[in-house]
Amino acid sequence: MDRNEVTKKIIAAKVRDKMSWAAIAEKIGQSKEWTTAAMLGQMTFDAKQAAVAKELFGLTDEETAWLQIVPYKGSLPTPVPADPLIYRWYEIVSVYGATIKELIHEEFGDGIMSAIDFSMDITREADPKGDRVNVVLSGKFLPYKQY
């Protein structure tokens, strides 16, 4: 048994029971973004969250224990970029890419976010703890066609 097997069981139950990430998040008590990442094996559950997941997905005690172990973050098996700033983007996509994909597909259906019909806005946000980088990405949704 490993965390990937638990993730597969969670996804199978979600599909079988026609659950949405937002509904699961409401029961877990966290945002849909964090909850989705957690369910996909990228975050660590506390005991209360793990107990809710156990009930939602019919997990065993062993499977529930795997939810509470710090995961190996990053699910994309690609070479790691060397540039520190680009590496951080790689890290974001590695940790949250599957979550972004799941949530876009849940909201829009089977397709992609265009990087051609696309806009991006990067701004500085003042913060007493250190300025923050605010990045807004906006791409047209392009559904896959049937033929």
Side-chain angles (χ1 to χ4, degrees):
M1 162 100 18
D2 66 21
R3 183 58 174 92
N4 291 330
E5 291 177 36
V6 179
T7 298
K8 287 177 187 176
K9 186 171 180 178
I10 287 169
I11 292 170
K14 177 191 178 290
V15 170
R16 180 192 65 233
D17 297 339
K18 298 180 175 125
M19 292 185 263
S20 71
W21 292 119
I24 294 165
E26 189 174 315
K27 291 178 181 172
I28 294 292
Q30 297 294 323
S31 72
K32 72 177 184 288
E33 292 80 8
W34 185 91
T35 301
T36 304
M39 295 299 171
L40 296 176
Q42 296 300 304
M43 302 296 164
T44 307
F45 290 75
D46 65 27
K48 184 178 176 185
Q49 294 160 340
V52 173
K54 179 180 183 176
E55 180 70 31
L56 280 173
F57 302 107
L59 303 177
T60 66
D61 289 341
E62 181 182 1
E63 291 164 337
T64 305
W66 276 103
L67 299 178
Q68 298 172 77
I69 295 172
V70 176
Y72 182 87
K73 293 187 186 236
S75 58
L76 303 177
T78 59
V80 178
D83 180 88
L85 188 112
I86 296 172
Y87 171 78
R88 292 297 173 238
W89 280 98
Y90 171 86
E91 183 180 28
I92 290 166
V93 171
S94 183
V95 173
Y96 292 102
T99 300
I100 293 165
K101 176 181 172 25
E102 280 288 322
L103 293 172
I104 288 172
H105 286 180
E106 186 172 273
E107 181 71 26
F108 294 93
D110 188 14
I112 63 168
M113 184 179 99
S114 175
I116 296 170
D117 188 353
F118 177 83
S119 66
M120 175 173 42
D121 186 34
I122 300 173
T123 58
R124 178 186 296 250
E125 287 182 12
D127 187 305
K129 296 177 185 173
D131 285 355
R132 304 195 54 89
V133 178
N134 184 355
V135 179
V136 177
L137 307 174
S138 178
K140 180 180 179 182
F141 179 75
L142 301 171
Y144 283 102
K145 298 187 322 184
Q146 293 183 3
Y147 54 93

